[in-house]
Amino acid sequence: MHLTEINTNSQAKSLALFCKVVDNFGDIGICWRMARQLQQEHGIAVTLWVDDLRSFQRICPQVTTDTEIQEIAGVTVRHWRDQQGSFTVADIADIVIEFFACDIPPDYIQAMAKCEQRPVWLNLEGLTAEEWVEGCHTLPSPHPSLPLTKHFFFPGFNSKTGGLLREARLDSERTAFQSDPEAMTAFLQQLGLTEAEISNTKVSLFCYPHAPVADLLEAWQSADTPVTCLVPEGVAAETVETYLGQAAKAGASVIHGGLTVRVLPFIPQTDYDKLLWACDINFVRGEDSFVRAQWANRPFIWHIYPQDKNLHHKKLNAFLKTATSATASLAALSHAWNAVSHSPLDWTEIWQDFQVDLPEIARLSGIWQEKLQENGDMTSNLLKFVNAVKVASQKDAV
């Protein structure tokens, strides 16, 4: 049965989402967006378990790092530490999600098995465009010793997966913002940009420390069109500090040739969306900013999280093959940015080719976004699947 054929009114009232922070901001970014959407759009009581509150605080300033239990935006946030032996049946949510195969507490699993109506247990996997996920999406995995079954749920880029995280009002909010030049200018001025910097080609830069930032800055410095590079504080800090000739702290800036580099404060998620919307090109990393770039209706380059044996290059190529916005020049820049080839590169030529293609990439980005919207949003698709699992378990019990 296809997900759209199932009643979307899930009976689940509570949900526990477990997140272990590995990628600093990518995993907690996804979990925090999802937790808020579940609570605000679907009325579900969400408890978000997080092991690293400091990383969480960077994207959500309301978080206090020395509090065990706190409520933020209607979501209960709990510091996930060693809570062994402290779980009973009363603590178990209707839906239990472990993000990216993190191991939830064994005592929590034991309590799940004792529930009269056992929760729907999901492993929310990482995002990839590789074809193999289509065969694994929603597959069951019975527990080896307990009467529990966990299902794998994969986000993705087509109807054979769970789709991408997207709030109901995101499109209208982005359209309104991008249709209002005064609002965009006011937002950028709040971040410290001058009129000249705003008039340049604006590029947001969010990447891992090993990115070839110095090569890109040099290419921008001699580019035909002036570039304003906006980099959050703490990102590529050593390279940026060397280029600035001073500490890479928020507010620092320098002009070399046609390039202005400005360091921004690390901003909350909602403002980060606006930054993506306001820039002409976005360099993003990991998964959360990568997904948000899909919805920004702007050209973007993905710095993918590195994996052993360069398996991340396979994921990158799978996405470039899938995305309708991936022109040859975008693919070439993506490959250079992710060190797919170790041959000497002419960064000036790579950037010039990409820049010439920008109008076409922008047009194709809109088409790609419309295609993704046809798959629905991941949170709603997940709740439809949860409802399907509940219906199936009730039938089995009869």
Side-chain angles (χ1 to χ4, degrees):
M1 181 178 291
H2 194 274
L3 291 182
T4 55
E5 298 173 354
I6 299 167
N7 179 10
T8 60
N9 294 320
S10 173
Q11 297 176 357
K13 300 299 182 183
S14 61
L15 181 146
L17 175 56
F18 289 84
C19 174
K20 283 192 174 180
V21 178
V22 176
D23 181 19
N24 291 322
F25 311 112
D27 19 40
I28 182 55
I30 293 165
C31 290
W32 179 228
R33 291 187 195 277
M34 184 179 181
R36 297 202 312 274
Q37 186 182 11
L38 284 162
Q39 192 279 326
Q40 294 171 5
E41 296 183 13
H42 300 280
I44 294 178
V46 179
T47 299
L48 175 58
W49 292 83
V50 187
D51 68 333
D52 182 357
L53 293 178
R54 293 192 180 277
S55 291
F56 191 5
Q57 188 183 57
R58 295 291 300 280
I59 63 170
C60 179
Q62 295 93 331
V63 172
T64 55
T65 58
D66 58 352
T67 303
E68 293 296 313
I69 305 175
Q70 53 195 301
E71 183 171 316
I72 306 171
V75 174
T76 300
V77 176
R78 298 200 59 171
H79 190 188
W80 181 9
R81 299 196 292 180
D82 183 16
Q83 283 95 358
Q84 296 298 325
S86 58
F87 297 107
T88 66
V89 169
D91 298 314
I92 306 304
D94 298 326
I95 308 170
V96 178
I97 299 177
E98 54 187 44
F99 181 73
F100 207 25
C102 64
D103 294 323
I104 63 179
D107 288 346
Y108 196 96
I109 298 174
Q110 292 288 340
M112 286 165 58
K114 297 175 183 177
C115 292
E116 182 177 349
Q117 291 187 341
R118 296 186 182 93
V120 177
W121 183 12
L122 303 175
N123 177 17
L124 179 57
E125 284 285 356
L127 175 63
T128 179
E130 295 169 285
E131 292 183 2
W132 64 265
V133 303
E134 297 174 7
C136 297
H137 178 54
T138 71
L139 279 182
S141 175
H143 193 280
S145 59
L146 297 174
L148 293 169
T149 297
K150 176 167 58 179
H151 289 83
F152 295 95
F153 196 91
F154 284 83
F157 302 96
N158 60 42
S159 60
K160 296 179 181 179
T161 66
L164 298 181
L165 194 64
R166 175 171 56 88
E167 299 87 351
R169 296 189 299 176
L170 183 63
D171 296 332
S172 60
E173 289 176 350
R174 175 190 54 78
T175 299
F177 184 79
Q178 291 180 334
S179 301
D180 188 345
E182 292 184 359
M184 285 199 290
T185 297
F187 171 74
L188 293 170
Q189 287 176 338
Q190 289 174 1
L191 296 177
L193 274 71
T194 65
E195 290 185 11
E197 291 169 357
I198 293 173
S199 67
N200 293 344
T201 297
K202 295 175 293 296
V203 183
S204 73
L205 181 64
F206 190 38
C207 61
Y208 296 108
H210 63 278
V213 174
D215 294 320
L216 192 58
L217 295 180
E218 185 176 349
W220 284 340
Q221 185 174 320
S222 58
D224 296 333
T225 303
V227 172
T228 298
C229 174
L230 305 174
V231 55
E233 186 176 23
V235 174
E238 291 185 10
T239 302
V240 173
E241 184 171 312
T242 299
Y243 195 82
L244 290 172
Q246 59 179 297
K249 294 187 177 296
S253 66
V254 71
I255 300 175
H256 290 310
L259 171 63
T260 301
V261 175
R262 176 171 290 279
V263 181
L264 302 181
F266 208 94
I267 56 181
Q269 277 189 334
T270 51
D271 284 344
Y272 182 67
D273 277 326
K274 290 181 179 178
L275 180 64
L276 295 177
W277 300 344
C279 286
D280 303 293
I281 306 160
N282 296 301
F283 283 71
V284 294
R285 81 178 202 191
E287 185 166 326
D288 181 55
S289 60
F290 174 50
V291 171
R292 304 314 279 191
Q294 313 283 329
W295 304 125
N297 201 26
R298 294 286 192 256
F300 66 90
I301 300 294
W302 181 26
H303 198 208
I304 189 169
Y305 190 79
Q307 294 178 292
D308 293 337
K309 299 180 181 179
N310 288 326
L311 292 178
H312 56 296
H313 290 164
K314 187 175 181 181
K315 290 181 66 174
L316 173 65
N317 286 327
F319 173 71
L320 293 174
K321 180 181 177 181
T322 301
T324 58
S325 57
T327 64
S329 64
L330 187 147
L333 180 54
S334 298
H335 285 157
W337 191 237
N338 287 278
V340 173
S341 172
H342 296 289
S343 302
L345 299 172
D346 186 336
W347 280 89
T348 298
E349 181 179 350
I350 291 171
W351 176 253
Q352 287 176 343
D353 291 344
F354 176 76
Q355 197 169 37
V356 168
D357 261 0
L358 273 178
E360 177 65 5
I361 296 170
R363 184 186 71 83
L364 294 173
S365 295
I367 296 174
W368 174 239
Q369 184 173 256
E370 291 175 359
K371 181 179 179 181
L372 293 175
Q373 289 174 342
E374 294 174 358
N375 303 323
D377 73 277
M378 186 190 76
T379 301
S380 297
N381 289 339
L382 183 144
L383 292 178
K384 292 173 187 176
F385 176 69
V386 165
N387 197 38
V389 172
K390 284 180 169 289
V391 170
S393 62
Q394 290 170 0
K395 289 182 178 179
D396 291 341
V398 174

